[in-house]
Amino acid sequence: MNYWLLKTEPSTYSHADLVRDKRTTWDGVANPVALRNMGGMTKGDEVMIYHTGDEKQIVGLARVAGAPYADPKQSDPRMLVVDLVPGPVVAHPVTLKALKADARFKDFALVRLSRLSVMPVTPAQWNMLLEMSKG
DNA sequence: GCCAACGTTGGC
DNA sequence: GCCAACGTTGGC
């Protein structure tokens, strides 16, 4: 069981879209570090979905539905995608502002590497984020 | 709208 | 293979 955070621009694809769709293929990841992270995903891993842009907050959960695989729409085999199924919307979104203000997250990739779209979350971070998301 | 912090591209 | 120039992301 691993934990991850995925970023998305909600006007492109939001957590609400995932809830509506019941399942989606998470594609469009091109950054080598993000792809490397995605390659470490396994079925059943838990995911938090973060909205960029105007929101800048963790809004909901999801789960990895299967092992990552090469994007059939791309000729480059390094371009991976992964299927996700939705989890619940969080009661209280966890904002980037809150994480930046919290010394426990000073080394968290979301804070340190603003352009990284797929990143691991440690169990300790995950538990802290879950607590914060309960308000 | 700006720009910091990246990543990518292409000429050499 | 380097690296200058350019492009992109995403927070501010």
Side-chain angles (χ1 to χ4, degrees):
Chain A
M1 169 67 72
N2 307 299
Y3 302 104
W4 308 95
L5 186 141
L6 293 178
K7 298 206 300 200
T8 184
E9 168 55 44
S11 64
T12 302
Y13 196 84
S14 68
H15 183 263
D17 291 329
L18 175 58
V19 170
R20 179 201 63 209
D21 292 346
K22 307 270 198 315
R23 183 180 177 111
T24 198
T25 298
W26 201 265
D27 61 10
V29 176
N31 176 283
V33 176
L35 284 171
R36 181 180 166 83
N37 289 334
M38 182 178 269
M41 291 182 175
T42 56
K43 183 178 180 181
D45 285 357
E46 295 202 64
V47 176
M48 286 187 182
I49 303 293
Y50 173 91
H51 282 174
T52 60
D54 291 341
E55 296 194 33
K56 295 189 283 293
Q57 55 190 10
I58 295 167
V59 296
L61 302 180
R63 190 175 291 271
V64 175
Y69 54 97
D71 189 343
K73 295 176 181 171
Q74 302 285 339
S75 56
D76 188 339
R78 291 172 300 184
M79 295 284 282
L80 294 178
V81 297
V82 73
D83 288 353
L84 297 182
V85 291
V89 173
V90 299
H92 288 79
V94 179
T95 64
L96 179 63
K97 185 178 177 185
L99 295 178
K100 285 198 163 183
D102 191 329
R104 296 175 302 173
F105 289 99
K106 68 178 171 51
D107 293 327
F108 191 30
L110 188 72
V111 172
R112 298 195 58 183
L113 303 170
S114 67
R115 295 181 56 192
L116 185 62
S117 60
V118 180
M119 69 198 73
V121 179
T122 67
Q125 289 168 339
W126 182 271
N127 288 330
M128 287 189 282
L129 292 171
L130 265 192
E131 281 303 312
M132 294 166 80
S133 73
K134 290 172 184 168

